[in-house]
Amino acid sequence: MRDDKSAPRPVVEPTIASIESVPAGYPRSYAQIIEAAKQEGRLSIYSATDAREVTELINDFRSLYPEINVEYADLNSTEIYSRFIAEVAAREGSADLLWSSAMDLQIKLVNDGYAQPYASPEKAALPEGSVWKNEAYGTTGEPIVFAYNKRLMPEEDVPQNHAELTDLLRRKPGFYQEKITSYNPVKSGVGFLYITQDVLATGDTWDFVAALGPTNPKLYTSTGAMMERIVSGESLLAFNMIGSYAVERASKDPSVGVVFPNDYTLVMSRIAFIPKDARNPNAAKLFLDFMLSKRGQEHLVKRNMRSIRSDVAAPAIYASLPENTREIRVGPALLANLDQETRLRFLRRWTETLSGKEEQQP
C-alpha cells in the first residue's frame, strides 16, 4: 500500500514497442498502460481458480509481456477475503488483482470501497449484468452441477433435478450414508453463496437440507477434495459443484458423470477486481483486459470455463445445458445475505436443519 495516497503517479511516455503492442481496437493511449506495467514489472494475483487450470492463460500473458513477473496465489475463496482484509488493515500491501468464484464476497469488498474503477476496453464485448460500477468484472459463466461416480452409483438413482435428489436421500439414507459431498457453507465462501442461491430459487431447499442430514454428508472447502472423493468412490455424488471442474475431470475420466439440473441450473461468474491501493495497477489492468479478451477467454474455455463472450464458442458439453438457467448477476443484490445477522441466522438454520434439530419454521 502506498504511504502517500495523494502522491500522483508519474506520467509514463510509451515506447515504440508499447505503441506497436496495443491490441487491435484499443485506443492508442493504451500504450501508456502497457509501458507503465512494464516498468512496474510485477503482478500479484490472489485467485480461487486452481493454478493448473490457468497455466496456459498465464503463460500466454507472459509471452505478450515478458517484462512482468506474475505471482499467482491459489487460495480458497474465504482465504482470499480474509487474507486481503488482514493485509490491507496491516498496511502491508496486498495483491494487485483478486479473482474469485465467491461472487458475494468479491462484491462486498467492492461495495466497501476496496476496488478502483477501470473501464476496460473489452467492456463493450461483455454481456449486460457482468460488470458493476466499472470495478467488478464477471469473467466466466459456469453452471453449478451434480457430479457422480458412474461406476458405483446405480444408474436409476442419478437425480436429474433438485427435487429428485431430495427424494433419493429420503428413500435411501442408509445407502448414501457418508456418500454425499459438497462445500461447507460455514467455512467456504462459494458454498455459502450457492446454497443461499438455492434457497432464493426455491424454498424446497430446506426440505433437501433436512433429507441430507441423516446421510452424514462430507463437506469441504475445496472442489479438488470433493472431486477426489467422487473419483475414488468414497463419495457417490457431489451437489453444487462448479461445473467446469466436473466437466474437465469427466472429459478425462469415464467414471465421472455430470448432471445439469433440469429444474434450474445456477450459473456463476468468477469476479475480478483491481484493489484501490494495488502496487502494480497497470499490470493488473493488462491482465484483466487479457483475461476478458477473446484470446484470453479461449484459454479459459479450453479448461471448460464457459465464456461470457458471445464470440467465443462454449465447449460442446454445454449444449445440454437447460434453458432455465439462473444467472447469478454481478451486483449489489449479492450483498443481501452477507449482513452479519442475516448470515448467522442462515447458517444457524443450516446447521440445525442438517442436524434435525430445527424448530418448525413459520
Side-chain angles (χ1 to χ4, degrees), residues 162-224:
H162 296 84
E164 289 184 7
L165 177 56
T166 300
D167 180 64
L168 174 67
L169 301 184
R170 282 173 172 165
R171 290 188 290 106
K172 302 178 69 172
F175 184 84
Y176 288 98
Q177 186 70 205
E178 299 187 353
K179 297 296 185 182
I180 306 296
T181 186
S182 191
Y183 297 105
N184 185 339
V186 178
K187 298 180 179 180
S188 165
V190 293
F192 180 79
L193 171 65
Y194 301 156
I195 196 67
T196 53
Q197 290 292 317
D198 281 329
V199 170
L200 286 176
T202 171
D204 292 342
T205 298
W206 291 115
D207 294 333
F208 160 69
V209 177
L212 177 66
T215 70
N216 190 22
K218 298 302 179 183
L219 305 176
Y220 297 93
T221 60
S222 162
T223 307

Side-chain angles (χ1 to χ4, degrees), residues 292-318:
L292 294 172
S293 72
K294 189 173 186 291
R295 179 169 171 171
Q297 290 280 298
E298 286 172 345
H299 283 298
L300 298 181
V301 166
K302 289 178 184 178
R303 307 301 294 187
N304 290 296
M305 293 181 224
R306 184 165 156 264
S307 176
I308 54 172
R309 295 178 62 115
S310 61
D311 57 354
V312 178
I317 191 170
Y318 292 124

Side-chain angles (χ1 to χ4, degrees), residues 63-116:
S63 74
L64 292 173
Y65 308 108
E67 303 87 350
I68 301 173
N69 178 40
V70 180
E71 299 172 3
Y72 188 89
D74 180 349
L75 308 168
N76 76 43
S77 55
T78 303
E79 285 176 327
I80 290 173
Y81 180 87
S82 300
R83 180 171 170 176
F84 176 76
I85 288 291
E87 289 173 345
V88 170
R91 300 180 65 83
E92 296 176 349
S94 190
D96 303 307
L97 186 85
L98 268 63
W99 188 35
S100 176
S101 47
M103 299 175 67
D104 48 357
L105 293 180
Q106 292 286 86
I107 291 298
K108 177 171 172 53
L109 289 172
V110 172
N111 189 66
D112 289 348
Y114 289 104
Q116 62 176 272

Side-chain angles (χ1 to χ4, degrees), residues 23-24 26 119-126 288-290 292-294 309:
Y26 281 35
S120 170
E122 297 291 343
K123 183 179 176 181
L126 307 181
L288 176 62
D289 293 334
F290 177 69
L292 294 172
S293 72
K294 189 173 186 291
R309 295 178 62 115

